[in-house]
Amino acid sequence: MRSIPFFIDGARVEVGSGRRQEVTDPNTGEAQATVTFADAGDVAAAIAAAAHPAWASVNPQRRARVMFAFKRLVEAEMDALAALLSSEHGKVIADSKGDIQRGLEVIEFACGIPHALKGEYTEGAGPGIDVYSMRQPLGVVAGITPFNFPAMIPMWMFGVAIACGNTFVLKPSEKDPSVPVRLAELFMQAGQEAGVEVKGVLNVVHGDKIAVDAILTHPEIKAVSFVGSSDIAHYIYQTGAANGKRVQAMGGAKNHGIVLPDADMDQVVKDLVGAAYGSAGERCMALPVVVPVGKKTADELRARVSAELETLRVGVSTDASAQYGPVVSASHRDKIASYIEMGVEEGAELVVDGRGFAMQGYENGFFIGPSLFDHVKPEMKSYQEEIFGPVLQIVRTESFEEALALPSKHQYGNGVAIFTRNGRAAREFAARVNVGMVGINVPIPVPVAYHTFGGWKRSAFGDTNQHGMEGVKFWTKVKTVTARWPEGMQEDSSFVIPTMR
Ligand code: NAD
């Protein structure tokens, strides 16, 4: 069986603690590879390989040239990478291409890093005094990533971090680890094509809590970026900070779509179905809760979404006509099914039940059909928690204020969308809602790469977002220089704090 290696110091490495885990194909339910788990020694070896300060002094334009070459190489291998990604994650091929493409958009941002790293300069801040600031890299930094975007999220992190002059240790999800290793190989090739030495700049180790703890406690690691579920994000934030590291830790989500009575219902139904069920609901920016305002809106939505679900096509990842594929594992499918059961027990009305779904010819695959709940109430646990599956919950409200309060009070605050033709209502909603990313008639408001990604409340711990200028800030530290070149007479010693006169 294929073995998925680490990537350390520019080469594939087969070492590890001896602990291994199978990587399954969610379409068939069969093991297709094994992944080696790192112990603290393996993590230390990756960090040692990354500890080469020469990368920081490669000028930003040459670092950007590596990013340009990397982008070309990933684009040239798009089909094969997407097939590999789908075979371990289960999302359909077109969606895997989207996963890779969204990551490449951050690489495109990283190609412009010379501009983003320019500091500030004040001439004549005092007599003969100039003040300037520069952004310098942190050193060896790390990323720990979830299963659901095995290409995009690693590229969010290492694209900006490396372009800023840091070297990187990536610990991707053990569920779909092959694409990150291939990206590291392509990065190595990109260095060769650009004529820049990148050995040790991007390293990949696999594993679980043991590898993660080794990263969080290693003195050489200066910053950690994490994306995953909220309890683990909180743990990473606390442990990383306790060990003196800069940490950003993105967590789970439960995004709401507010539908006002004046919304374009034809468009809303299409947007909702795509955003709730795409990628089998395994997106932190999925839209698993819809909040219609008024009974008429709710009744129409329920009827039209149910009708759409009759034609929604679940299939294997390679089926170009399938709208979503299997979920990532049998245990995750069972967890989704248990949330559906919970919703029923709590008294919500299960309008469409996806649990009985079986894929002909793929009976051992991790498939689950689309489910729809109506009359879901805020006090239900199945509403309060993240399900991360193809389940849409309708929470009925009577007013704009009631609808605005739901996402605002929810424990998660990643994304939210409002659907309306009323510009004033949309503007007020965007200003007042207690959530980090807002869509106005946009169901999945993932910001473009040169803006920044991050939620609020239990969706993110730490105060700096992913990519855009926030990413540049996270992966660099500011140094400020105050320079005086006096002319003529020297001043006497001063025993009071200098002020600007
Ligand atoms: P997860 O939290 O199980 O795993 C994320 C990473 O943490 C993996 O690399 C995993 O190996 C590691 N990990 C797992 N258990 C650990 C432990 N006990 N100690 C230390 N590290 C551990 O998340 P997942 O299931 O891979 O991904 C799905 C979750 O990620 C969902 O909650 C989803 O909302 C969230 N997510 C959030 C965002 C965002 O930007 N907010 C984006 C994508 C996914």
Side-chain angles (χ1 to χ4, degrees), residues 144-149 152-153 156 171-175 207-210 212-213 216 226-233 235-236 249-253 282-285 328 332 386 388 412 414 437 453-455 459-460 466:
I144 301 158
T145 54
F147 81 84
N148 70 325
F149 281 100
M152 176 184 82
I153 295 179
W156 276 3
K171 206 302 286 170
S173 171
E174 65 283 15
K175 295 189 182 117
D208 55 5
K209 188 173 186 318
I210 290 174
V212 171
D213 284 346
L216 293 174
F226 173 88
V227 176
S229 51
S230 288
D231 287 347
I232 308 222
Y235 168 77
I236 302 281
M250 276 62 191
E282 293 172 316
R283 290 183 187 139
C284 68
M285 289 297 274
V328 72
H332 190 52
E386 180 182 43
F388 218 54
Y412 295 115
N414 214 37
M437 292 175 278
F453 184 104
S459 294
Q466 299 280 351

Side-chain angles (χ1 to χ4, degrees), residues 19-322:
R19 293 188 307 130
R20 307 179 80 78
Q21 183 168 297
E22 287 180 342
V23 175
T24 44
D25 178 347
N27 293 288
T28 60
E30 281 166 19
Q32 54 169 325
T34 61
V35 60
T36 311
F37 277 12
D39 59 17
D42 302 314
V43 171
I47 293 170
H52 84 84
W55 179 247
S57 52
V58 171
N59 74 55
Q61 214 156 350
R62 279 167 66 75
R63 296 201 297 258
R65 281 183 197 139
V66 177
M67 291 297 165
F68 275 110
F70 178 65
K71 172 177 145 64
R72 280 195 302 272
L73 289 169
V74 174
E75 279 169 348
E77 212 173 292
M78 178 65 89
D79 289 347
L81 278 169
L84 184 61
L85 197 159
S86 287
S87 76
E88 292 183 355
H89 177 286
K91 60 177 87 174
V92 294
I93 298 277
D95 205 27
S96 289
K97 289 186 178 171
D99 184 334
I100 298 163
Q101 179 57 32
R102 283 307 291 237
L104 279 180
E105 289 170 14
V106 175
I107 300 300
E108 287 167 359
F109 171 75
C111 289
I113 207 72
H115 182 67
L117 285 178
K118 284 189 301 190
E120 295 175 328
Y121 191 94
T122 301
E123 184 194 11
I129 296 177
D130 303 322
V131 179
Y132 60 96
S133 63
M134 52 184 110
R135 293 207 157 267
Q136 296 190 325
L138 305 172
V140 184
V141 297
I144 301 158
T145 54
F147 81 84
N148 70 325
F149 281 100
M152 176 184 82
I153 295 179
M155 283 193 267
W156 276 3
M157 296 176 182
F158 76 67
V160 182
I162 288 175
C164 286
N166 302 285
T167 55
F168 206 89
V169 176
L170 173 66
K171 206 302 286 170
S173 171
E174 65 283 15
K175 295 189 182 117
D176 45 11
S178 290
V179 166
V181 174
R182 186 65 194 138
L183 291 176
E185 281 181 326
L186 291 174
F187 184 79
M188 189 64 202
Q189 199 179 323
Q192 284 153 3
E193 290 193 7
V196 181
E197 179 56 81
V198 298
K199 204 160 154 266
V201 171
L202 175 56
N203 306 276
V204 183
V205 291
H206 306 294
D208 55 5
K209 188 173 186 318
I210 290 174
V212 171
D213 284 346
I215 289 171
L216 293 174
T217 53
H218 198 291
E220 271 292 327
I221 294 284
K222 303 297 180 224
V224 177
S225 180
F226 173 88
V227 176
S229 51
S230 288
D231 287 347
I232 308 222
H234 193 211
Y235 168 77
I236 302 281
Y237 183 65
Q238 287 179 313
T239 314
N243 282 280
K245 299 175 194 334
R246 187 179 286 188
V247 187
Q248 56 177 197
M250 276 62 191
K254 189 92 179 196
N255 304 328
H256 295 50
I258 313 302
V259 184
L260 299 190
D262 68 350
D264 174 349
M265 283 303 243
D266 293 339
Q267 189 61 50
V268 168
V269 171
K270 295 211 175 310
D271 285 349
L272 262 184
V273 171
Y277 300 101
S279 196
E282 293 172 316
R283 290 183 187 139
C284 68
M285 289 297 274
L287 212 49
V289 177
V290 58
V291 183
V293 176
K295 184 174 183 312
K296 188 167 166 287
T297 317
D299 289 345
E300 186 180 348
L301 254 181
R302 170 188 166 142
R304 293 184 62 175
V305 170
S306 320
E308 279 296 306
L309 295 189
E310 280 169 23
T311 58
L312 191 151
R313 201 175 142 78
V314 182
V316 289
S317 305
T318 47
D319 177 353
S321 65

Side-chain angles (χ1 to χ4, degrees), residues 329-367:
S329 65
S331 61
H332 190 52
R333 180 200 51 205
D334 296 346
K335 183 175 155 203
I336 296 164
S338 74
Y339 270 114
I340 297 172
E341 190 55 36
M342 183 193 291
V344 173
E345 281 168 10
E346 289 178 316
E349 185 190 352
L350 185 56
V351 182
V352 179
D353 185 354
R355 286 174 296 179
F357 181 88
M359 188 71 209
Q360 222 186 349
Y362 293 85
E363 283 76 10
N364 294 326
F366 311 138
F367 293 92

